[in-house]
Every structure is written in C-alpha cells, then in structure tokens.
Amino acid sequence: MKKDKILVIGACGQIGVELTLALRKMYGDTNVVASDLREEHDLLKGTGPYVSLDVMNKEMLHVLVIRHNITQVYLLAAILSATGEKNPLLAWHINMQSLLNVLDIAKEENLDKVYWPSSIAVFGPNSPAQDTPQHTIIEPTTIYGISKFAGERWCEYYNHRFGVDVRSLRYPGLISYKSAPGGGTTDYAIEIFHEAKEHQQYTSFLSENTYLPMMYMPDAIRATIELMEADAAKINVRSAYNLSAMSFSPKEIGEEIKKHIPGFTMAYAPDYRQEIADGWPNSIDDTQARQDWGWKPEYDLARMTEDMLKNI
Ligand code: NAD
C-alpha cells in the first residue's frame, strides 16, 4: 500500500503554519514536507522537514515531488485580496500559475489528492449578499476574486478531464493568533484583538456596519482536513465548496470584545478595502458542504473572542 506523503506549499503563512502542524499530528512529522519562499516559521522549526521552494518554478516543484515521493499537495501560496489590488497583474500571474503548476504535476505524477483554497471573494456585487448560495451569479470584481474563480474552473476541469482528485473550499475571512495574516480585507478582525489588548483602542479600516462571513482558524483547519479525508464519492463539488461559521460587523466584534475589556473604544476610518468588502457577501449558505461531507462549525463570535483574547 502507498503511504501518504504530503507537501504543503506556502507553509509559513497564516493558514500554512497551523495546517502543517495539524497534518504532522495526523500523518507523522516526517511525512509532511513544509515549503515556502520565506524562511522557516519559528513554530515549524524542529517539527519536521522544511524546504525552500518557489512554486512558480515548475521544474523545481516537479523534482521536489518526485524526490520526496509526494502523494498529496496542499497549495496555500497566493497573493491575497488587499495586496492583489496593489499589483493586479502580479496577483493574477502568481495565483494562476502556481495552481496550474500543481495541477499539471498532479496529473503527470498521478498524485492521490490536491487541496487548493478558493475564497468568498469569488462572489461580487451581483451575487445575493445574504446567505449566498453555492450556485449563483459569480462576477468577482477584485483581481483576487477573478483569479480564485478562474482557479475553481481549472480545478473542476482537471478533475473532469484528467481525473485529478482536487478539492477546494471557499474560505471566509479567517481569524487566528499563531501566524500573522497575509494582506486580506478581513484582517481587521485580527488586528482588533491585538490593539484591544495593547491599547484598548482600535480604528477599523472597514465601516461599523460592514458584515462579512468569518471563521475561527481551528474550524478552518478541521474543515480542510475533513474535506480531504472524505470519501471521494461524497465530493460532488469539484470547483469549491461554500463554507460558513459566523458573520459579524466591526461594531459587533467591538461590542463582544468590550464584554472582556470594558474600556475598549472603537473608531472608523474606511480605506480602499471598504470597496472590496462592499462587493462581498454578508453571509454564506454552506448547505451543500454540510450535506456532502458533514461540515459543522464549532466556533461562534462569543467563543472565538474569548479564545483569541486568552491566547494573544
Ligand atoms: P498568507 O499570505 O498568510 O500565506 C501565503 C504563503 O505563501 C506565505 O508564507 C508566502 O511566503 C508563500 N508564498 C507566496 N508566494 C510563494 C511562492 N511563489 N512560492 C512559495 N511560497 C509562496 O496566506 P494565507 O492567509 O495563509 O492563505 C492561504 C490560502 O488561503 C491562499 O490561497 C488564500 O487565498 C486562501 N484564503 C485565505 C483566507 C484568509 O482569511 N487567510 C481567506 C480565503 C482564502
């Protein structure tokens, strides 16, 4: 029987660090190879193999996959929404070519599985904003959303055309404390905790009533692993699954923090990220993920806030 050997690309990012550590617990430290452009993250040091990799270099990636007998790839390297708007062509190039490199090597080397995350950014101002369905109008307006939507079509294409077992989730904004966020529009919901603890004050770059779908990192890691562990026959969506846990505004998260830090105050100074947020859903309908592979979130705003403030 073939043993699972996993490559995580973008392992030093906000999701990558926690996902790598979770996968090492499940599959054994030496069976999960972490890789990134950056230097190894402190939390990964001493926990398993680390290689430096530029995913844009297909040859280098191919050699790595063969040399380490890789059977599964988790591709997390990307340019995120807010950073992407500063250099749209670069974001398109990196987000698309990295995925095409991985999908093509998965096809050539007959890999068992590939994971690549999409985002709620695939939706745009013409999508229904409330409980946005799995299948609906998808007209993204950011380059990040456009690249994620195109990526979803490529995933489905490689699955249908070549049988590559690629799986994907449309993550909402992810909140965590272990590894810093990488330039997304929902990063305010992380900054707010640091500022609340250090200065009892936070100025939000989104307006007070901007509702966005959000999720606490432990739920996101569990969702990712549960999707990847599910029987292939249950995976009916080969583009990317809607995934949901909670939805709140800057004002609401501020009020929740105030329950723990009574002196906490908030101000609002919306910047260019407001326009990005305005084009995204307020909340997501993830019925299909719940039905197909049993998804269920554990953290709501209150439980997440308590845990963040305890751990930051
Ligand atoms: P991040 O920016 O924190 O991490 C990405 C990592 O990829 C970084 O460590 C970076 O050094 C690495 N990287 C960049 N270019 C690379 C290259 N050419 N070769 C190798 N590594 C490279 O991002 P994240 O928040 O961990 O997001 C991971 C994935 O999840 C991305 O696809 C992102 O679009 C998606 N996602 C994230 C969120 C969120 O809220 N964090 C929400 C929706 C979707």
Side-chain angles (χ1 to χ4, degrees):
M1 208 177 80
K2 206 156 87 164
K3 216 171 155 209
D4 290 313
K5 194 86 194 278
I6 297 174
L7 174 65
V8 182
I9 303 170
C12 296
Q14 192 199 355
I15 301 172
V17 169
E18 297 201 40
L19 188 61
T20 301
L21 294 173
L23 289 170
R24 283 183 173 158
K25 253 192 198 146
M26 280 182 67
Y27 290 92
D29 292 346
T30 54
N31 294 322
V32 180
V33 180
S35 72
D36 205 293
L37 267 185
R38 297 195 227 178
E39 249 182 57
E40 188 174 19
H41 193 283
D42 280 351
L43 290 176
L44 294 181
K45 282 183 183 153
T47 69
Y50 184 81
V51 288
S52 81
L53 169 74
D54 180 354
V55 68
M56 301 298 280
N57 185 335
K58 191 176 175 189
E59 249 91 276
M60 193 176 156
L61 174 63
H62 205 154
V63 168
L64 191 70
V65 164
I66 293 171
R67 189 174 292 157
H68 288 267
N69 297 312
I70 297 298
T71 62
Q72 295 186 28
V73 173
Y74 285 69
L75 170 59
L76 303 171
I79 304 279
L80 271 60
S81 58
T83 313
E85 288 312 298
K86 291 182 187 156
N87 196 340
L89 289 181
L90 182 75
W92 170 259
H93 181 54
I94 291 188
N95 292 357
M96 292 323 307
Q97 201 55 49
S98 57
L99 177 61
L100 293 176
N101 287 351
V102 168
L103 287 176
D104 215 48
I105 290 170
K107 180 189 116 194
E108 280 177 44
E109 296 304 325
N110 207 9
L111 298 188
D112 289 344
K113 284 178 209 169
V114 172
Y115 179 76
W116 168 82
S118 183
S119 159
I120 55 156
V122 295
F123 300 115
N126 295 328
S127 314
Q130 219 58 40
D131 294 329
T132 311
Q134 176 72 41
H135 300 287
T136 184
I137 295 170
I138 296 194
E139 295 174 356
T141 50
T142 60
I143 196 59
Y144 176 69
I146 294 171
S147 71
K148 288 296 185 188
F149 182 42
E152 289 188 5
R153 303 323 304 154
W154 276 110
C155 287
E156 195 182 278
Y157 182 81
Y158 264 78
N159 176 260
H160 288 181
R161 185 79 218 275
F162 306 119
V164 173
D165 187 351
V166 51
R167 306 176 183 199
S168 179
L169 298 170
R170 290 173 179 153
Y171 288 135
L174 300 181
I175 297 159
S176 67
Y177 58 87
K178 287 189 183 155
S179 181
T185 303
T186 51
D187 289 0
Y188 91 84
I190 299 173
E191 289 174 11
I192 193 170
F193 286 105
H194 293 276
E195 293 298 310
K197 268 203 134 167
E198 280 169 38
H199 305 112
Q200 291 79 53
Q201 201 281 332
Y202 179 63
T203 302
S204 169
F205 59 74
L206 297 183
S207 66
E208 61 184 326
N209 291 318
T210 306
Y211 281 83
L212 287 171
M214 300 278 190
M215 181 175 279
Y216 197 33
M217 191 60 88
D219 270 343
I221 300 295
R222 191 170 52 81
T224 306
I225 289 173
E226 284 178 9
L227 172 76
M228 289 297 276
E229 290 289 298
D231 189 342
K234 289 187 177 165
I235 311 296
N236 297 312
V237 175
R238 289 299 184 163
S239 49
Y241 278 96
N242 275 11
L243 190 72
S244 169
M246 60 182 108
S247 168
F248 56 77
S249 62
K251 189 173 173 205
E252 279 183 4
I253 190 173
E255 277 163 8
E256 195 60 42
I257 290 172
K258 245 189 219 170
K259 291 180 188 167
H260 303 265
I261 305 174
F264 178 62
T265 59
M266 275 189 81
Y268 301 90
D271 65 12
Y272 71 101
R273 289 167 281 194
Q274 183 66 45
E275 200 184 326
I276 302 178
D278 286 342
W280 287 357
N282 302 145
S283 59
I284 296 286
D285 179 348
D286 63 356
T287 308
Q288 183 129 25
R290 289 172 191 250
Q291 281 172 356
D292 286 3
W293 45 277
W295 166 242
K296 199 166 179 278
E298 281 177 4
Y299 285 86
D300 59 11
L301 177 58
R303 197 169 161 211
M304 175 193 74
T305 302
E306 204 182 313
D307 204 60
M308 281 293 283
L309 289 172
K310 197 169 75 197
N311 286 294
I312 258 177

